[in-house]
């Protein structure tokens, strides 16, 4: 009895039937399954079908035709695509840099404010939860040529009025102003959370050493905030490269004068839902994906910091 | 209590296979469904889709009451109507028996004629003559199938401020305006004259909008009936040059319609005129407060064009196409079209409606003028132009480039050649020669 037992036991542990092992965790798999099922239906299937569609011609109703790399070949030769790419990157810089700088300044100010802190926090966050379309309509009124608020202010200062939504650069300024307005509050709150996580002792030590406000900011606050900054930069990248509603409502589906408000996502929308060229739109969607990936990788490299562990 | 492993696994497998099955079903219908495989609707209900404001309210309630069996189930579909219709066609279920089709979408749906019932097979021949011929042609395929019965049309006219015209030394009476502003050149000359007296009043609200009007006055557009690109030819160049002329004469207000500047300018007199379809009347009416009664209507210089105007179509999924046809025939009778006009300014597509009291009433907003006296003759005189399914996509570069001329970023010739080469590339991609 003992002999057989000692023989059979190692055999079981050495070569367990793999099926049984996996199935013995069924409860855990079951608990995890809702996410994966939903992901398969609403995430994976659309993604895979987008990739398949990028190699086909489809007008939405007729049968699909396989065209190989035809959509991509047209994409790289399409001047509108390159224009929209350039616009998107320019808009991204024009909106993200002021947003993050302003947010950081506001966060430091909020950190040191003593009264009504919560009121300010709510006030700064409100633009982020306001309907984007309502805001875009509001901003297009502010920037309108003859009866807009911005031009009224310029006139009262004796500066000639500008055709904000008619000039290529004016369109970009109007759109990025709106993005800044919407996202400053959100990033301020993220920075504020990061600021509150910095140990007080470091500031006290700096004070004892006689560091001024600027020195404290650049030597303690900013380095300690690095991971938070990385997070906000990546989130802004993903959001900024997908700018759509602002130009669509402010200057329309054409992207405005000289297509200077035409972002890649707006271009994608136009190809899919106005021109009914779904295969081409899928190819554009993949290029947006590649673009976001590229920019995130660049940001990661810049803000990850040197000398840190991977 | 613990569930048995077998039941749980069984349930799990059932859910999984159900999800996978439906995903695959969705996939296959998206991939292969060319319109004939989708199942028929049930005969217990007659479903009907249209967009908000697409049909007159009183006409709708009356029609629903008039056809109790099967009961009409009307759904108002907001948002991008065409997109939702296409998605539903691809899904293969819940396709409406009757659906509205917008005028701007009809050209791209004609190649999908197999999804709709040819109204001629239901006896439409007897009533098609009641509607404007050019409008019926828009819903007719090249091989003669008629897929939609016209709901409304959008004939254009010149809307203008009588007081501003009079103060600027221009004729202000509609008859005199019609007589003097016959062509675009007359119109521009009047614009220059008005600007000299009143520098703030620019007669052309937006030159790039004007371009579309001029294209719409022609008998050809960007792509010919035999599928050749003709956007680089004289008729388009003429429209282009007309628009550029308004810019160079500096009578271009650069105020796109519908924007805040346009709304405010109508009342303040900086937008003293607008050329637009009949439905623009309601936009102007809702935009202005103080200039009520000062607006007048005159024929479009150089002839009318059409903007907008929609159709009712019967899908192949309809359980009882004949019944559905009876419904749309009733709904779009000249009497009911006149009612729809009184309901929501839906301009009738049947000329017989133009004599009904709802249309011949004088409009206080237009100083007692009868709008139909301008729109009626315009609707009958609209030129017929073949519109290709790819017309909109090909037209886009022309609009984009014209805007660069408007802001002075490019010369007219440079913008033109860039527009033509972009349009050619788009046309070529769509299989146009």
């Amino acid at each position: 009895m003992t002999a057989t037992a000692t023989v059979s036991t190692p055999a079981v542990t050495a070569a367990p039937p793999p099926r049984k092992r996996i199935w013995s965790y069924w409860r855990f798999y079951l608990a995890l399954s809702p996410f994966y099922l939903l992901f398969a239906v609403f995430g994976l299937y659309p993604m895979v079908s987008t990739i398949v569609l990028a190699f086909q011609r489809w007008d939405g109703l007729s049968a699909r035709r396989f065209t190989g790399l035809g959509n991509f070949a047209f994409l790289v030769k399409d001047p509108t695509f390159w224009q929209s790419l350039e616009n998107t990157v320019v808009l991204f810089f024009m909106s993200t840099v002021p947003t993050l700088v302003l947010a950081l300044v506001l966060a430091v100010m909020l950190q040191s404010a003593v009264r009504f802190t919560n009121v300010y926090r709510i006030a700064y966050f409100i633009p982020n939860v306001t309907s984007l379309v309502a805001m875009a309509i509001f901003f297009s009124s502010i920037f309108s040529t003859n009866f807009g608020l911005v031009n009224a202010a310029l006139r009262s200062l004796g500066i000639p009025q500008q055709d904000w939504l008619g000039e290529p650069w004016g369109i970009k300024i109007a759109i990025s102003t709106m993005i800044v307005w919407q996202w400053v509050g959100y990033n301020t709150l993220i920075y504020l959370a990061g600021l509150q996580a910095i140990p007080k002792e470091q500031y006290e030590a700096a004070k004892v050493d006689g560091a001024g406000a600027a020195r404290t900011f650049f030597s303690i606050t900013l380095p300690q905030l690095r991971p938070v900054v990385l997070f906000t930069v990546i989130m802004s990248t993903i959001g900024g490269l997908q700018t759509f509603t602002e130009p669509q409502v402010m200057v329309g589906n054409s992207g405005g004068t000289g297509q200077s408000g035409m972002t890649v996502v707006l271009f994608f929308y136009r190809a899919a839902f106005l021109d009914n060229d779904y295969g081409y739109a899928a190819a554009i969607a993949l290029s947006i994906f590649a673009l976001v990936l590229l920019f995130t990788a660049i940001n990661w490299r810049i803000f990850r910091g040197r000398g840190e562990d991977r | 209590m613990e569930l048995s492993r077998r039941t749980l696994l069984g349930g799990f497998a059932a859910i999984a296979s159900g999800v996978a099955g439906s995903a695959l079903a969705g996939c296959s219908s998206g991939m292969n469904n060319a319109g004939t495989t989708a199942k028929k609707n049930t005969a217990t209900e007659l479903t009907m889709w249209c967009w908000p404001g697409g049909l007159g309210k009183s006409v709708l309630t009356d029609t629903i009451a008039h056809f109790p069996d099967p009961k009409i189930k009307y759904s108002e579909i907001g948002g991008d109507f065409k997109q939702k219709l296409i998605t539903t066609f691809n899904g293969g279920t819940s396709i409406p028996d009757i659906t509205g089709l917008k005028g701007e979408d009809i050209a791209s749906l004609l190649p999908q004629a197999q999804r709709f019932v040819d109204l001629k097979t239901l006896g439409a021949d007897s009533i098609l003559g009641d509607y404007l011929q050019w409008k019926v042609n828009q819903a007719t395929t090249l091989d003669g199938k008629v897929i939609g019965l016209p709901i409304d049309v959008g004939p254009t006219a010149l809307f203008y401020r009588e007081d501003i015209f009079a103060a600027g030394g221009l004729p202000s009476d509609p008859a005199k305006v019609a007589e003097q502003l016959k062509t675009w050149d007359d119109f521009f000359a009047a614009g220059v004259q008005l600007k000299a007296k009143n520098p703030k009043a620019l007669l052309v609200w937006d030159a790039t909008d004007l371009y579309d009007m001029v294209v719409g006055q022609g008998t050809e557009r960007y792509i010919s009936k035999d599928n050749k690109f003709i956007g680089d030819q004289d008729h388009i160049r003429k429209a282009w040059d007309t628009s550029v002329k308004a810019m160079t004469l500096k009578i271009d207000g650069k105020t796109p319609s519908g924007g805040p500047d346009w709304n405010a300018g109508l009342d303040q007199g900086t937008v003293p005129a607008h050329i637009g379809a009949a439905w623009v009347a309601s936009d102007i009416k809702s935009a202005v407060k103080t200039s009520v009664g000062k607006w007048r209507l005159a024929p479009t210089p150089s002839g009318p064009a059409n903007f907008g105007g929609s159709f009712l179509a019967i899908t192949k999924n309809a359980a009882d196409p004949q019944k559905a046809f009876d419904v749309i025939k009733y709904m779009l009778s000249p009497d009911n079209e006149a009612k729809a006009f009184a309901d929501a300014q839906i301009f009738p597509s049947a000329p017989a409606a133009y004599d009904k009291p709802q249309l011949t009433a004088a409009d206080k907003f237009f100083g007692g003028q009868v709008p139909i006296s301008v729109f009626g003759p315009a609707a009958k005189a609209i030129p017929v132009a073949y519109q290709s399914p790819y017309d909109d996509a090909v037209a886009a570069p022309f609009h984009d480039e014209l805007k660069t001329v408007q802001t002075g970023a490019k010369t007219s010739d440079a913008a033109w050649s860039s527009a033509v080469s972009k349009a050619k590339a788009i046309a070529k991609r769509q299989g146009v020669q």
Side-chain angles (χ1 to χ4, degrees), chain B residues 34-396:
Chain B
T36 44
T37 51
K39 66 173 191 212
K40 286 261 177 187
N41 290 354
T42 54
T44 53
E45 239 177 19
L46 192 71
T47 51
M48 180 188 234
W49 279 21
C50 205
W51 48 90
L55 298 162
K57 275 224 165 64
S58 69
V59 177
L60 195 61
T61 27
D62 172 52
T63 309
I64 291 171
H66 196 264
F67 292 93
D69 183 41
K71 197 174 159 44
I72 297 171
K73 194 187 161 213
Y74 176 72
S75 307
E76 199 167 271
I77 310 290
D80 190 339
F81 186 85
K82 184 193 174 190
Q83 211 49 53
K84 290 179 183 173
L85 187 65
I86 287 181
T87 312
T88 311
F89 270 133
N90 278 317
T93 54
S94 310
I95 299 171
D97 297 77
I98 301 172
T99 179
L101 299 177
K102 291 190 179 181
E104 61 264 37
D105 300 330
I106 191 92
S108 63
L109 286 168
L110 284 182
Q112 296 296 326
Q114 82 279 3
R115 289 178 189 270
F116 301 97
V117 178
D118 177 7
L119 300 183
K120 282 185 170 171
T121 62
L122 301 173
D125 276 321
S126 61
I127 57 160
L128 283 179
D130 296 350
Y131 298 92
L132 291 161
Q133 184 60 45
W134 60 269
K135 192 68 187 172
V136 175
N137 288 352
Q138 277 190 350
T140 309
T141 61
L142 290 175
D143 58 354
K145 291 192 188 93
V146 177
I147 65 166
L149 205 58
I151 302 175
D152 62 330
V153 293
T156 60
L158 166 65
F159 297 78
Y160 70 94
R161 282 277 294 273
E162 183 248 3
D163 53 332
I164 308 265
F165 269 41
L170 296 178
S172 59
D173 178 63
K176 291 217 175 89
V177 170
E179 203 177 301
Q180 192 176 329
L181 307 187
K182 274 213 171 80
T183 65
W184 290 120
D185 283 336
D186 300 337
F187 184 66
F188 293 161
V192 173
Q193 196 187 335
L194 180 65
K195 197 190 171 188
K197 279 224 175 170
N198 181 356
K200 279 194 171 171
L202 299 171
L203 197 53
V204 177
W205 72 106
D206 185 81
T208 58
D209 261 16
L210 188 80
Y211 167 79
D212 274 334
M213 300 288 153
V214 187
V215 172
Q217 287 174 327
T219 50
E220 279 175 314
R221 296 182 67 87
Y222 300 90
I223 295 162
S224 69
K225 247 183 194 172
D226 49 356
N227 207 28
K228 290 204 169 70
F229 177 71
I230 51 170
D232 52 351
Q233 292 180 6
D234 282 348
H235 60 286
I236 298 292
R237 180 71 201 219
K238 204 186 96 206
W240 176 281
D241 286 341
T242 307
S243 166
V244 171
K245 190 175 177 191
M247 299 173 193
T248 47
L249 288 171
K250 302 215 182 320
I251 50 166
D252 173 18
K254 301 181 190 175
T255 318
S257 59
D261 270 357
W262 187 77
N263 285 340
L266 294 171
D267 236 1
Q268 307 203 1
T270 56
V271 182
H274 185 87
I275 293 167
W279 47 264
V280 172
S282 61
D283 289 354
I284 297 181
K285 282 176 182 174
S286 62
V288 306
K289 289 184 197 78
T290 58
S291 58
V292 177
K294 292 174 183 163
W295 287 89
R296 296 290 182 275
L297 288 163
T300 313
S302 291
N306 177 68
F307 277 84
S310 41
F311 301 87
L312 279 180
I314 298 168
T315 65
K316 276 271 165 69
N317 305 74
D320 186 352
Q322 195 62 50
K323 182 86 181 178
F325 182 69
D326 291 344
V327 170
I328 66 172
K329 185 176 156 186
Y330 178 81
M331 257 192 133
L332 303 177
S333 70
D335 276 337
N336 276 332
E337 288 207 340
K339 273 190 208 159
F341 179 76
D343 277 357
Q345 300 275 315
I346 298 164
F347 197 85
S349 56
Y354 300 169
D355 304 327
K356 309 280 177 202
Q358 289 96 331
L359 280 103
T360 51
D363 193 336
K364 271 190 193 153
F365 184 85
F366 295 107
Q369 200 182 349
V370 182
I372 193 68
S373 66
V374 176
F375 288 122
K380 291 172 191 164
I382 284 166
V384 187
Y386 167 72
Q387 197 172 353
S388 145
Y390 315 118
D391 205 76
D392 278 350
V394 171

Side-chain angles (χ1 to χ4, degrees), chain A residues 118-155:
Chain A
N118 281 331
V119 176
Y120 288 122
R121 285 179 198 173
I122 292 167
Y124 284 126
F125 197 67
I126 280 176
N128 197 251
V129 290
T130 312
S131 151
L132 207 52
V133 174
M135 261 166 33
I137 293 170
F138 176 63
F139 267 75
S140 61
S141 292
I142 287 184
F143 280 103
S144 77
T145 311
N146 296 323
F147 303 99
L149 211 58
V150 176
N151 275 343
L154 287 183
R155 274 195 301 271

Side-chain angles (χ1 to χ4, degrees), chain A residues 27 60 62 71 259 276 278, chain B residues 2 82-83 90 400 429:
Chain A
R27 283 185 185 81
S62 318
N71 290 327
Q259 300 185 315
N276 290 319
Y278 292 91
Chain B
E2 201 178 327
K82 184 193 174 190
Q83 211 49 53
N90 278 317
D400 297 341
R429 174 171 166 74

Side-chain angles (χ1 to χ4, degrees), chain A residues 116-308:
Chain A
F116 309 124
T117 330
N118 281 331
V119 176
Y120 288 122
R121 285 179 198 173
I122 292 167
Y124 284 126
F125 197 67
I126 280 176
N128 197 251
V129 290
T130 312
S131 151
L132 207 52
V133 174
M135 261 166 33
I137 293 170
F138 176 63
F139 267 75
S140 61
S141 292
I142 287 184
F143 280 103
S144 77
T145 311
N146 296 323
F147 303 99
L149 211 58
V150 176
N151 275 343
L154 287 183
R155 274 195 301 271
S156 69
L157 293 171
I159 303 167
Q161 65 178 33
Q162 306 296 326
D163 187 6
W164 292 102
L165 295 173
E167 300 281 353
W169 52 267
I171 290 173
K172 288 210 174 75
I173 292 176
I175 292 170
S176 48
T177 307
M178 187 180 150
I179 298 173
V180 170
W181 191 68
Q182 193 194 4
W183 288 101
V184 159
Y186 171 84
N187 288 299
T188 302
L189 289 194
I190 306 260
Y191 284 149
L192 196 60
L195 284 175
Q196 286 170 346
I198 301 174
K200 292 270 181 299
E201 293 81 9
Q202 294 196 1
Y203 286 110
E204 282 158 14
K207 215 174 198 174
V208 171
D209 290 346
R215 181 69 198 265
T216 313
F217 178 78
F218 286 106
S219 298
I220 296 174
T221 312
L222 212 50
Q224 291 281 346
L225 271 184
R226 193 188 284 276
V228 183
V229 173
L230 175 65
F231 171 76
T232 56
V233 167
I234 288 179
M235 293 310 283
S236 304
T237 309
I238 296 170
L241 296 178
Q242 297 181 45
T243 305
F244 167 70
T245 317
E246 295 90 347
Q248 206 243 354
V249 178
M250 284 169 98
V251 290
N253 290 325
S254 70
T257 307
Q259 300 185 315
S260 56
M262 170 76 82
T263 61
V264 192
V265 182
L266 185 55
F267 182 49
F268 156 77
Y269 173 82
R270 181 158 142 175
F273 303 115
L274 297 177
D275 297 348
N276 290 319
D277 198 347
Y278 292 91
Y280 190 43
I284 299 169
L286 290 186
S287 79
I288 298 173
F289 174 67
L291 188 71
V292 171
L293 216 59
L294 175 77
F295 265 75
T296 309
I298 293 173
N299 286 329
W300 187 262
R301 278 222 155 267
I302 293 175
F303 287 94
R304 186 171 48 104
R306 288 163 190 70
E308 279 176 33

